Amino acid sequence: MSIGVIDMEGLRLGIDLGGTTVKVGLVDEELEIVDKVIYRSRPLDEMAACAEFSDQLKAFVVEARYDPAEIEGIGVAIPGTVLGAEVELLPNIQLDLQLLLESLRDYFPNADLAYLNDANAGALAEAAFGAGVGYRNVLYVTIGTGIGAGVVIGGKVIAGAHGAAGEIGHVSVAKGGRRCSCGRRGCLEQYASARGIVRTFREVGANAPSVYESLDHQQDHLAHMLMPKHDADSLTVFRAYEEGDFRAVKAVDVFAKSLGFALGQVCTVLDPDVVLLGGGVAGSAHVYLSKVQQVFSESVIEPCRETEILPGRLGNSANMLGAAYYSMIQ
Ligand SMILES: [Zn+2]
């Protein structure tokens, strides 16, 4: 399916509810973004807050010179598992989905409302009109602060019996390894998310203090520049890698080996046509992709060795676009 043949009746809103920001896109019938806005995340678990948010969306549509009554669909991408009407949210999100849907209905009376898991939204968008066009079965892995994934088989997102299909972030890559938020140990997310990369970088530095200090002395400016600014600042680590920083070389090595290994296990079971990478870390794919592909080829069953691993095409608009699209096809 290509962008030109999608038959969308009218304007839609895609809402990507994240832990720190809410991204909203107004899209036309060809899924082109007409306008978009980013809000800071806030609790949406009371009617007054939901109404205020819906009112803000209405103002955004009006500012873009459209009538809110023209909005035919609104899709919401949610950070949590979704199975039918059952939603289990991540702990850092305060949301009463039913209240939000009620208020959206008040402000956008002609819109079909839909919601789905955020990684599934991204997977759907990349598969339907992103880097997955031309492939039937797509495994989409989104790597940011954490790791999410979506599986699209023949154009349909697979939720699984418990809404947990594709949770590749919690595939075990290190027996007895780092403790994970899911209560287990050694999950991929602890090594191959933005947080995992920064953690390895810092651990390597802490375990080699003398080299680390001399680096600080001799190249004060460079060393300062190469310090991650927060727990999920993988961008600085990738920059340090390109400068040849030994901590970053190790962090990228651990990242690529963990990810390549986990993708190998998952593809041995799923055998998708292509693996697409999304999320913030995908923007640095040129740094690590060949290493990931190599470890993957060594880990996966022989017939799947040539399966391609590619960065997605829709960047951080994937979830928002997938949500808008889902409001049309659901
Ligand atoms: Zn886990």
Side-chain angles (χ1 to χ4, degrees):
M1 192 186 297
S2 77
I3 226 167
V5 299
I6 291 169
D7 183 24
M8 236 173 160
E9 298 275 326
L11 290 166
R12 286 167 195 271
L13 284 173
I15 302 171
D16 180 14
L17 288 178
T20 48
T21 61
V22 178
K23 299 186 192 75
V24 180
L26 176 64
V27 303
D28 67 14
E29 64 280 4
E30 295 192 326
L31 291 169
E32 295 286 350
I33 298 172
V34 175
D35 203 353
K36 65 177 171 180
V37 64
I38 298 177
Y39 303 112
R40 189 185 288 273
S41 300
R42 80 210 80 166
L44 291 172
D45 52 359
E46 286 177 19
M47 200 56 202
C50 291
E52 194 188 320
F53 176 62
S54 300
D55 194 45
Q56 224 171 0
L57 293 181
K58 186 176 167 182
F60 161 67
V61 171
V62 170
E63 254 171 59
R65 301 185 180 182
Y66 292 97
D67 179 354
E70 277 182 45
I71 301 295
E72 294 195 4
I74 301 176
V76 187
I78 293 169
T81 56
V82 178
L83 189 68
E86 298 271 315
V87 176
E88 197 176 310
L89 296 162
L90 296 187
N92 58 340
I93 293 288
Q94 286 167 276
L95 168 70
D96 185 323
L97 183 63
Q98 291 314 317
L99 286 184
L100 177 62
L101 294 175
E102 253 178 64
S103 78
L104 288 173
R105 201 165 285 127
D106 287 345
Y107 283 79
F108 300 94
N110 299 320
D112 295 326
L113 304 180
Y115 55 93
L116 78 169
N117 167 267
D118 53 4
N120 285 353
L124 195 58
E126 287 286 2
F129 44 89
V133 170
Y135 299 100
R136 190 170 158 75
N137 304 319
V138 173
L139 169 63
Y140 173 77
V141 180
T142 170
I143 308 175
T145 310
I147 295 182
V151 180
V152 177
I153 306 281
K156 286 216 164 84
V157 166
I158 306 303
H162 309 93
E167 280 297 343
I168 187 176
H170 301 284
V171 165
S172 178
V173 295
K175 196 159 187 275
R178 293 175 184 168
R179 190 176 289 284
C180 185
S181 58
C182 72
R184 295 146 71 238
R185 279 182 178 277
C187 293
L188 176 66
E189 188 166 283
Q190 297 307 314
Y191 301 87
S193 63
R195 274 177 189 274
I197 293 164
V198 170
R199 182 170 168 182
T200 308
F201 179 90
R202 286 175 172 162
E203 280 180 6
V204 174
N207 290 332
S210 59
V211 189
Y212 190 35
E213 277 166 21
S214 72
L215 182 75
D216 262 351
H217 268 301
Q218 289 161 19
Q219 297 168 290
D220 210 24
H221 178 69
L222 180 66
H224 182 70
M225 190 185 87
L226 298 182
M227 292 299 271
K229 287 160 198 70
H230 52 83
D231 288 350
D233 180 17
S234 56
L235 210 57
T236 295
V237 178
F238 289 126
R239 206 172 295 142
Y241 177 87
E242 291 179 312
E243 298 285 345
D245 184 300
F246 73 102
R247 297 164 296 178
V249 169
K250 180 68 180 171
V252 170
D253 189 59
V254 168
F255 163 81
K257 282 182 177 158
S258 314
L259 182 61
F261 174 78
L263 290 177
Q265 306 309 299
V266 172
C267 288
T268 296
V269 178
L270 275 182
D271 189 13
D273 294 299
V274 69
V275 177
L276 300 178
L277 303 180
V281 174
S284 303
H286 63 282
V287 173
Y288 57 75
L289 204 55
S290 60
K291 178 81 181 167
V292 172
Q293 185 87 50
Q294 182 204 326
V295 177
F296 168 79
S297 298
E298 291 161 8
S299 311
V300 78
I301 197 168
E302 202 276 330
C304 310
R305 275 190 193 144
E306 303 298 318
T307 301
E308 275 188 292
I309 303 169
L310 305 171
R313 197 182 292 158
L314 303 173
N316 63 11
S317 299
N319 296 357
M320 165 222 292
L321 284 169
Y325 178 55
Y326 192 60
S327 76
M328 180 184 74
I329 63 168
Q330 207 229 24

